[in-house]
Amino acid sequence: MKILVIEDNESLCSMLEMFFTKEGIKGTFVHDGKEGYERFKREPWDLLIVDWMLPGMDGVTICRKIREEGSDVPIIMLTAKDSEADQILGLEMGADDYVTKPFSPLTLMARIKAVTRRVHNARKSEEEKNIIQTEHFKVNKTTREVFLDGKLIDNLTPKEFDLLIFFLQHPRQVFSRDQLLDRVWGYNFYGDERTVDVHIKRLRSKVGAKKQPFFHTVWGVGYKFDETVE
């Protein structure tokens, strides 16, 4: 684990450095808020420990700026302030947890483990939401990668990908061409129904086969996606 500690109390940093070494943690210690913030931007970190009161830039400002930039790196705030209002402010500005001074290294270590575990589980849950897994397909909606029976399919157009995602999420349901235009292309699309036919034909050629076309024509109605029909 790689942790950035932004704390101006050098004796506290020395104590944490010794404890981190015993725990197998790589700690980097910066004693100025502005310098610590710049150091954060230069390197990837597994976790930040930030003191509330710092020269150069206070810890609350550091948290706020990091979150405004879109980073979800876990942050633990160190503070001598123990009022509920101060604690709420720190959390609202982006801290994931806080530890009130004075504290023992064991207490801090417990918080580090709890925060990293919580963030890891949240990220894993978010990643799982973006994965679609069926009998033959695995699709990552974030990276827009499509695997068919373990083989990467990298020649889909953006709209072919969107159409495939829609069908994977609605297996064995029959949709008319108008419904597909509304649901995949959107209400502002002014093309005709033949657009759907062309895209279905292309998907069949790229991810289907004569024995297993996946995309089935329902005569007089439209199309459906079914992996169970040959």
Side-chain angles (χ1 to χ4, degrees):
M1 183 180 292
K2 185 180 176 184
I3 296 179
L4 174 63
V5 180
I6 310 176
E7 165 63 68
D8 61 338
N9 186 323
E10 295 188 25
S11 62
L12 175 58
C13 288
S14 296
M15 179 189 70
L16 291 178
E17 186 173 16
M18 290 187 293
F19 188 78
F20 284 177
T21 301
K22 292 180 180 179
E23 294 289 328
I25 295 173
K26 183 180 179 181
T28 298
F29 298 84
V30 181
H31 308 305
D32 177 86
K34 186 174 181 180
E35 181 184 344
Y37 173 67
E38 294 299 326
R39 185 65 182 270
F40 159 77
K41 293 197 295 182
R42 292 199 301 267
E43 301 176 42
W45 304 95
D46 296 310
L47 184 136
L48 267 63
I49 297 175
V50 183
D51 189 26
W52 183 297
M53 301 298 294
L54 288 165
M57 183 185 298
D58 65 80
V60 172
T61 301
I62 292 173
C63 287
R64 177 177 56 78
K65 290 174 71 68
I66 288 173
R67 296 308 184 217
E68 287 176 349
E69 292 170 1
S71 173
D72 62 352
V73 62
I75 301 175
I76 295 177
M77 180 81 74
L78 302 181
T79 176
K81 299 172 178 290
D82 58 0
S83 74
E84 185 177 9
D86 289 327
Q87 294 166 0
I88 291 173
L89 175 61
L91 295 173
E92 287 182 344
M93 289 298 103
D96 295 278
D97 203 351
Y98 62 88
V99 176
T100 304
K101 297 179 179 179
F103 58 86
S104 73
L106 290 175
T107 297
L108 179 61
M109 196 65 221
R111 296 294 183 89
I112 289 172
K113 290 179 179 179
V115 167
T116 53
R117 183 168 57 249
R118 185 165 65 244
V119 171
H120 172 76
N121 290 339
R123 288 174 178 171
K124 184 177 179 181
S125 176
E126 189 62 31
E127 289 173 359
E128 289 173 348
K129 291 179 183 177
N130 292 315
I131 299 294
I132 300 176
Q133 182 88 51
T134 69
E135 181 180 353
H136 294 279
F137 289 88
K138 182 177 181 180
V139 178
N140 187 317
K141 293 192 291 183
T142 301
T143 61
R144 298 182 75 85
E145 292 177 315
V146 177
F147 294 88
L148 173 59
D149 294 327
K151 180 181 177 181
L152 177 65
I153 305 298
D154 58 3
N155 60 344
L156 298 184
T157 67
K159 193 54 65 179
E160 288 167 357
F161 178 87
D162 293 341
L163 185 59
L164 174 62
I165 288 291
F166 179 79
F167 274 118
L168 291 177
Q169 292 176 324
H170 301 86
R172 296 185 295 279
Q173 296 184 44
V174 180
F175 294 95
S176 68
R177 293 169 177 80
D178 283 339
Q179 287 176 318
L180 290 171
L181 286 173
D182 287 342
R183 302 285 290 277
V184 180
W185 277 261
Y187 292 102
N188 294 323
F189 180 76
Y190 295 105
D192 59 39
E193 294 180 348
R194 287 175 293 181
T195 298
V196 175
D197 298 333
V198 170
H199 280 77
I200 293 291
K201 182 179 180 180
R202 289 175 179 171
L203 277 175
R204 283 173 172 163
S205 67
K206 293 179 179 181
V207 301
K210 289 184 178 180
K211 184 178 180 181
Q212 184 65 285
F214 298 123
F215 303 93
H216 303 275
T217 301
V218 180
W219 298 108
V221 183
Y223 297 99
K224 71 175 180 178
F225 173 83
D226 193 342
E227 296 177 276
T228 65
V229 177
E230 295 187 1

